[in-house]
Amino acid sequence: MKTPAPVPNPEAKAKTRRKPKAKRKTRQADQWQGTLPVVHPHAAGIDVAAASDLWAAVAPQAGRSAKETIRPFAPTTAGLRKLADWLAKESITTVAFEATGIYWLPLYHLLSERGFQIVVVNPRDTKALRKKTDIADAQWLQYLHGVGLLKASFVPPAEILGMRGIWRHRDDLVRLAGSQVQHMQKALDEMNIKLHFFLDDLTGKTGLAIVDAILAGERDPVQLAKLRDYRCQASEEAIAAALEGQWLAHCLFILGQARAAWRQTQEQIAACDALLEKQALALLVAMGKTWDEAAAKENPAGKEIKRKSKKANKTRQPTKNEPAGSAWPELCRALFGVDLMKVPGIGVGVVLSLLCEIGVCWSAFGSAGQLSSWMGLCPNNKVSGGKVIRRGVMPGQQWLRNMLRHAAASLARHESVLGEHYRRMRGRMGPIGANTIVAHKIARILWHLVTHQQEYDESVLTKLDAGRDARRLARLNRQAQALNLRLVPFTAPPTESHPPVQEAA
């Protein structure tokens, strides 16, 4: 009689399956731990989170368990203080963590006050060769930082971080004000009021005066048209015809709500401008520089900047969204040491973006190429097998990149070396590609001006482009010879000169 086969125990089978996995994890950990020489023996890695616990890991030591080298901490301020105390107790001098949104900023400020050397890394550089868990992230960051394989990202000084927060909040307010203007236009369209089709800007003097009168109860188109500003190009008759429509109660309510929200947003933008000016003056005093506010308002540097167009030579006027105040151009020149607004396409808004995103000291960028790469303006072509499989640019600092692209787009009709370069690139690459190429060129020019403290000189670019006309002439000669033609220089006919008329005695 055969004995029955033993029934396998599923729990024992599961246990036997877990043991090899645990051994493999141990072997993998032992494999990458200790394979490279340690550069930072007192390094720690932190996995930053928004709501869940932060995990901090220190270097493993003999005789210490894993629970002693890695610990969780709450993301609250009290938890961050306990984290800093534990790092100091473990004799940690340098800490590495990933830049995750804005959640790393409180930890960055607290550890900076405690005197730790902080390395903020790009998650793109650390996401490979590891399993995605909070504990594994902290251990992997600690190991990479300990062996010196992490590259620190650029973080501006504390005073610049404050200005950057105000400037980005101001940009959000400008976008919010634009959406309120769209709400006003939508309410007018629903009532068949075509006012914004005859006015370039509904929030100008004429547009706001008419909207306020409508909200006050005025319905006569002729009386509303009399509120037209004398500089408005549309006539009173055209405006009166555009103001004939159906006055709907709910549309008037939406129009009033949008008008009030726009006014409140403009007040908030003005408050941001005042605070930015105060912080810029404090930064100027900290740098040991002086600035005469009265002289700057009497003769601002922006009056000397002339932008030529094909139609006429026009002096550049500040845009509607630039910070108010005539002293900003001179204040920016005093902070940077050079007048960056002499570069074609650069205005107060672009210079303030550079100030609030980078600061006045650009020594962190060793070359113009490093600055352009950080902004995300350098080419990033993917080549495989000798063929380009993808063309594009690297991801980078989107705030400055977009600002410089808008500055480059403004050179479409600018009579300068950069304007000619933009039009040439637009013919080859299209407007989108031209914006990126010329923005890259402007970024390199700005780096040279700030780091070498040199004023913008267009003759330098003219000399660099001196050989382009010769190459163009040679190309035209080759094309003419291929068609059995010959180029002949054009000589303008002499102008007729009339003798001066003698006056009678």
Side-chain angles (χ1 to χ4, degrees):
M1 185 176 179
K2 295 182 180 180
T3 58
V7 179
N9 187 2
E11 296 182 358
K13 188 175 182 181
K15 290 181 180 179
T16 56
R17 287 181 179 176
R18 291 195 193 99
K19 289 181 181 178
K21 292 183 179 179
K23 290 181 180 179
R24 284 198 298 269
K25 288 182 180 180
T26 305
R27 285 197 300 268
Q28 288 177 0
D30 295 340
Q31 185 178 1
W32 57 261
Q33 287 285 358
T35 56
L36 295 176
V38 177
V39 179
H40 304 291
H42 302 283
I46 302 177
D47 179 69
V48 182
S52 59
D53 291 341
L54 285 75
W55 287 88
V58 298
Q61 299 177 3
R64 300 186 64 181
S65 61
K67 292 183 179 180
E68 296 177 351
T69 59
I70 181 169
R71 290 186 180 181
F73 294 92
T76 59
T77 303
L80 297 182
R81 290 171 181 169
K82 292 180 180 179
L83 171 60
D85 296 337
W86 182 68
L87 294 177
K89 182 180 178 182
E90 295 291 335
S91 301
I92 298 299
T93 58
T94 176
V95 182
F97 50 84
E98 297 175 348
T100 307
I102 61 172
Y103 305 119
W104 61 275
L105 285 173
L107 180 62
Y108 176 84
H109 291 307
L110 190 142
L111 294 182
S112 298
E113 294 175 357
R114 295 292 186 94
F116 291 96
Q117 181 184 359
I118 303 175
V119 177
V120 182
V121 299
N122 194 329
R124 185 176 64 247
D125 301 335
T126 62
K127 67 180 181 180
L129 303 177
R130 61 181 171 90
K131 297 189 68 175
K132 184 59 183 175
T133 61
D134 294 340
I135 299 177
D137 284 349
Q139 292 176 334
W140 183 244
L141 284 172
Q142 189 279 326
Y143 170 71
L144 292 179
H145 188 34
V147 298
L149 292 180
L150 292 183
K151 180 176 61 176
S153 299
F154 171 73
V155 179
E159 59 274 10
I160 302 300
L161 281 175
M163 297 181 66
R164 187 182 71 175
I166 299 299
W167 180 253
R168 292 184 178 182
H169 174 63
R170 184 187 184 278
D171 183 73
D172 294 337
L173 292 176
V174 171
R175 298 176 186 273
L176 180 61
S179 65
Q180 300 300 337
V181 174
Q182 292 177 345
H183 288 311
M184 287 191 285
Q185 294 175 351
K186 181 181 177 182
L188 293 175
D189 283 333
E190 191 171 350
M191 294 186 297
N192 201 27
I193 302 298
K194 305 297 183 180
L195 176 63
H196 51 287
F197 289 98
F198 289 86
L199 303 179
D200 292 337
D201 186 10
L202 185 61
T203 59
K205 289 188 176 180
T206 302
L208 291 180
I210 294 177
V211 170
D212 291 340
I214 292 175
L215 296 176
E218 182 64 47
R219 299 291 183 268
D220 188 2
V222 177
Q223 296 297 327
L224 292 174
K226 291 182 180 180
L227 300 175
R228 166 187 172 273
D229 189 81
Y230 70 95
R231 294 169 296 181
C232 183
Q233 296 182 359
S235 62
E236 290 189 12
E237 293 77 10
I239 295 177
L243 289 172
E244 293 182 1
Q246 300 176 355
W247 304 103
L248 303 178
H250 69 280
C251 292
L252 292 173
F253 175 78
I254 296 174
L255 180 65
Q257 291 279 307
R259 174 67 176 95
W262 184 87
R263 183 188 299 109
Q264 182 182 8
T265 306
Q266 294 300 316
E267 295 175 356
Q268 294 175 347
I269 292 175
C272 291
D273 294 341
L275 182 57
L276 282 174
E277 184 175 357
K278 182 179 179 180
Q279 292 178 345
L281 290 174
L283 180 61
L284 190 66
V285 173
M287 295 170 59
K289 296 183 179 181
T290 58
W291 177 65
D292 190 359
E293 182 177 1
K297 290 184 177 180
E298 292 177 0
N299 186 22
K303 290 186 178 180
E304 301 177 0
I305 305 172
K306 292 186 177 181
R307 307 270 176 103
K308 297 181 179 180
S309 64
K310 291 185 177 180
K311 294 183 179 180
N313 296 339
K314 297 181 180 180
T315 303
R316 183 189 181 278
Q317 299 295 332
T319 62
K320 198 176 188 66
N321 293 330
E322 287 184 357
S326 59
W328 271 114
E330 186 65 24
L331 180 57
C332 293
R333 189 200 63 81
L335 286 170
F336 283 100
V338 291
D339 191 0
L340 300 181
M341 283 176 288
K342 290 184 178 179
V343 181
I346 302 300
V348 176
V350 179
V351 179
L352 276 178
S353 296
L354 295 171
L355 174 64
C356 297
E357 296 291 340
I358 303 178
V360 295
C361 181
W362 293 11
S363 59
F365 305 98
S367 64
Q370 292 182 6
L371 177 64
S372 302
S373 177
W374 177 74
M375 290 183 182
L377 295 173
C378 289
N380 185 27
N381 299 333
K382 301 297 181 64
V383 182
S384 178
K387 297 181 179 180
V388 179
I389 59 177
R390 180 186 176 275
R391 298 181 185 273
V393 294
M394 298 183 62
Q397 222 274 1
Q398 59 175 350
W399 300 89
L400 289 179
R401 178 178 56 191
N402 295 336
M403 189 68 70
L404 291 183
R405 281 175 174 172
H406 286 296
S410 66
L411 300 175
R413 299 196 304 171
H414 196 272
E415 293 184 359
S416 62
V417 177
L418 289 176
E420 182 182 354
H421 180 64
Y422 178 84
R423 290 185 290 272
R424 187 168 58 252
M425 292 297 104
R426 184 179 59 182
R428 293 171 51 186
M429 308 291 294
I432 298 178
N435 292 343
T436 302
I437 293 173
V438 179
H440 183 195
K441 196 177 189 68
I442 293 176
R444 300 179 74 92
I445 293 174
L446 294 174
W447 182 87
H448 282 283
L449 298 183
V450 174
T451 55
H452 298 286
Q453 290 294 295
Q454 296 178 355
E455 294 291 342
Y456 177 73
D457 187 5
E458 184 131 354
S459 61
V460 177
L461 298 179
T462 305
K463 292 179 182 178
L464 295 176
D465 293 343
R468 180 171 289 106
D469 293 337
R471 293 191 297 270
R472 183 181 180 185
L473 182 60
R475 183 174 64 255
L476 291 176
N477 282 321
R478 290 193 300 269
Q479 295 175 356
Q481 291 177 2
L483 298 174
N484 294 326
L485 300 175
R486 182 169 58 91
L487 296 180
V488 178
F490 174 75
T491 303
T495 58
E496 297 181 1
S497 60
H498 299 281
V501 180
Q502 297 182 357
E503 297 181 359

mmCIF file of all heavy atoms in Angstrom, residues 59 75 113 166 169 171-172 183 265 278 308 380 408-409 470 477:
data_model
loop_
_atom_site.group_PDB
_atom_site.id
_atom_site.type_symbol
_atom_site.label_atom_id
_atom_site.label_comp_id
_atom_site.label_asym_id
_atom_site.label_seq_id
_atom_site.Cartn_x
_atom_site.Cartn_y
_atom_site.Cartn_z
ATOM 1 N N ALA A 59 25.417 56.940 5.471
ATOM 2 C CA ALA A 59 26.272 55.871 4.975
ATOM 3 C C ALA A 59 26.192 54.660 5.902
ATOM 4 O O ALA A 59 26.232 54.800 7.136
ATOM 5 C CB ALA A 59 27.717 56.358 4.872
ATOM 6 N N PRO A 75 6.889 65.724 7.194
ATOM 7 C CA PRO A 75 7.208 66.898 6.374
ATOM 8 C C PRO A 75 6.888 68.232 7.031
ATOM 9 O O PRO A 75 7.068 69.275 6.404
ATOM 10 C CB PRO A 75 6.345 66.676 5.125
ATOM 11 C CG PRO A 75 5.178 65.896 5.612
ATOM 12 C CD PRO A 75 5.695 65.005 6.712
ATOM 13 N N GLU A 113 20.332 77.177 6.994
ATOM 14 C CA GLU A 113 20.538 77.897 8.251
ATOM 15 C C GLU A 113 21.359 77.083 9.242
ATOM 16 O O GLU A 113 22.087 77.650 10.057
ATOM 17 C CB GLU A 113 19.176 78.251 8.854
ATOM 18 C CG GLU A 113 18.368 79.245 8.020
ATOM 19 C CD GLU A 113 16.986 79.477 8.601
ATOM 20 O OE1 GLU A 113 16.668 78.813 9.626
ATOM 21 O OE2 GLU A 113 16.236 80.305 8.044
ATOM 22 N N ILE A 166 8.276 86.551 -5.903
ATOM 23 C CA ILE A 166 7.406 87.699 -6.180
ATOM 24 C C ILE A 166 7.239 87.877 -7.686
ATOM 25 O O ILE A 166 6.129 88.157 -8.183
ATOM 26 C CB ILE A 166 7.977 88.970 -5.544
ATOM 27 C CG1 ILE A 166 8.063 88.817 -4.022
ATOM 28 C CG2 ILE A 166 7.117 90.178 -5.889
ATOM 29 C CD1 ILE A 166 6.740 88.594 -3.344
ATOM 30 N N HIS A 169 4.938 85.210 -9.096
ATOM 31 C CA HIS A 169 3.559 85.504 -8.679
ATOM 32 C C HIS A 169 3.003 86.654 -9.503
ATOM 33 O O HIS A 169 1.820 86.638 -9.881
ATOM 34 C CB HIS A 169 3.546 85.851 -7.195
ATOM 35 C CG HIS A 169 2.210 86.306 -6.691
ATOM 36 N ND1 HIS A 169 1.082 85.504 -6.692
ATOM 37 C CD2 HIS A 169 1.811 87.514 -6.186
ATOM 38 C CE1 HIS A 169 0.056 86.176 -6.205
ATOM 39 N NE2 HIS A 169 0.465 87.395 -5.901
ATOM 40 N N ASP A 171 3.787 87.318 -12.574
ATOM 41 C CA ASP A 171 3.476 86.771 -13.891
ATOM 42 C C ASP A 171 2.123 86.060 -13.881
ATOM 43 O O ASP A 171 1.352 86.165 -14.841
ATOM 44 C CB ASP A 171 4.583 85.807 -14.317
ATOM 45 C CG ASP A 171 4.370 85.256 -15.719
ATOM 46 O OD1 ASP A 171 4.557 86.010 -16.687
ATOM 47 O OD2 ASP A 171 4.002 84.071 -15.835
ATOM 48 N N ASP A 172 1.827 85.355 -12.795
ATOM 49 C CA ASP A 172 0.512 84.723 -12.674
ATOM 50 C C ASP A 172 -0.611 85.766 -12.629
ATOM 51 O O ASP A 172 -1.690 85.562 -13.201
ATOM 52 C CB ASP A 172 0.455 83.843 -11.425
ATOM 53 C CG ASP A 172 1.388 82.655 -11.515
ATOM 54 O OD1 ASP A 172 1.730 82.252 -12.645
ATOM 55 O OD2 ASP A 172 1.795 82.133 -10.448
ATOM 56 N N HIS A 183 -13.082 87.853 -20.309
ATOM 57 C CA HIS A 183 -14.451 87.787 -19.795
ATOM 58 C C HIS A 183 -15.238 89.043 -20.176
ATOM 59 O O HIS A 183 -16.427 88.966 -20.525
ATOM 60 C CB HIS A 183 -14.433 87.611 -18.280
ATOM 61 C CG HIS A 183 -13.999 86.249 -17.827
ATOM 62 N ND1 HIS A 183 -14.518 85.087 -18.339
ATOM 63 C CD2 HIS A 183 -13.076 85.864 -16.901
ATOM 64 C CE1 HIS A 183 -13.953 84.041 -17.766
ATOM 65 N NE2 HIS A 183 -13.068 84.492 -16.885
ATOM 66 N N THR A 265 -6.799 93.070 -9.670
ATOM 67 C CA THR A 265 -5.558 92.430 -10.100
ATOM 68 C C THR A 265 -4.491 93.465 -10.419
ATOM 69 O O THR A 265 -3.305 93.266 -10.117
ATOM 70 C CB THR A 265 -5.826 91.548 -11.325
ATOM 71 O OG1 THR A 265 -6.880 90.624 -11.021
ATOM 72 C CG2 THR A 265 -4.582 90.763 -11.709
ATOM 73 N N LYS A 278 11.658 97.736 -3.833
ATOM 74 C CA LYS A 278 12.248 97.819 -2.493
ATOM 75 C C LYS A 278 13.336 96.767 -2.310
ATOM 76 O O LYS A 278 14.414 97.056 -1.762
ATOM 77 C CB LYS A 278 11.142 97.647 -1.447
ATOM 78 C CG LYS A 278 11.628 97.754 -0.008
ATOM 79 C CD LYS A 278 10.469 97.592 0.956
ATOM 80 C CE LYS A 278 10.940 97.663 2.399
ATOM 81 N NZ LYS A 278 9.810 97.499 3.361
ATOM 82 N N LYS A 308 14.803 100.593 -34.304
ATOM 83 C CA LYS A 308 14.456 100.980 -35.657
ATOM 84 C C LYS A 308 13.546 99.948 -36.289
ATOM 85 O O LYS A 308 13.718 98.765 -36.088
ATOM 86 C CB LYS A 308 15.714 101.147 -36.505
ATOM 87 C CG LYS A 308 16.636 102.255 -36.028
ATOM 88 C CD LYS A 308 17.835 102.365 -36.929
ATOM 89 C CE LYS A 308 18.775 103.483 -36.478
ATOM 90 N NZ LYS A 308 19.947 103.584 -37.359
ATOM 91 N N ASN A 380 19.726 69.600 -28.996
ATOM 92 C CA ASN A 380 19.778 68.279 -28.373
ATOM 93 C C ASN A 380 19.338 67.248 -29.418
ATOM 94 O O ASN A 380 18.275 66.644 -29.329
ATOM 95 C CB ASN A 380 18.870 68.222 -27.135
ATOM 96 C CG ASN A 380 18.991 66.901 -26.402
ATOM 97 O OD1 ASN A 380 20.021 66.241 -26.452
ATOM 98 N ND2 ASN A 380 17.933 66.505 -25.717
ATOM 99 N N ALA A 408 13.254 87.553 -28.930
ATOM 100 C CA ALA A 408 13.739 87.263 -30.281
ATOM 101 C C ALA A 408 12.658 87.503 -31.321
ATOM 102 O O ALA A 408 12.931 88.003 -32.420
ATOM 103 C CB ALA A 408 14.245 85.820 -30.354
ATOM 104 N N ALA A 409 11.413 87.165 -30.992
ATOM 105 C CA ALA A 409 10.320 87.363 -31.948
ATOM 106 C C ALA A 409 10.077 88.842 -32.237
ATOM 107 O O ALA A 409 9.584 89.188 -33.320
ATOM 108 C CB ALA A 409 9.043 86.712 -31.424
ATOM 109 N N ALA A 470 30.580 88.657 -48.730
ATOM 110 C CA ALA A 470 31.501 88.111 -49.728
ATOM 111 C C ALA A 470 31.078 86.707 -50.148
ATOM 112 O O ALA A 470 31.116 86.367 -51.347
ATOM 113 C CB ALA A 470 32.925 88.112 -49.176
ATOM 114 N N ASN A 477 27.651 84.678 -58.061
ATOM 115 C CA ASN A 477 28.475 84.550 -59.257
ATOM 116 C C ASN A 477 28.457 83.122 -59.795
ATOM 117 O O ASN A 477 28.396 82.912 -61.016
ATOM 118 C CB ASN A 477 29.922 84.978 -58.952
ATOM 119 C CG ASN A 477 30.073 86.491 -58.917
ATOM 120 O OD1 ASN A 477 29.467 87.204 -59.723
ATOM 121 N ND2 ASN A 477 30.882 86.992 -57.995
#
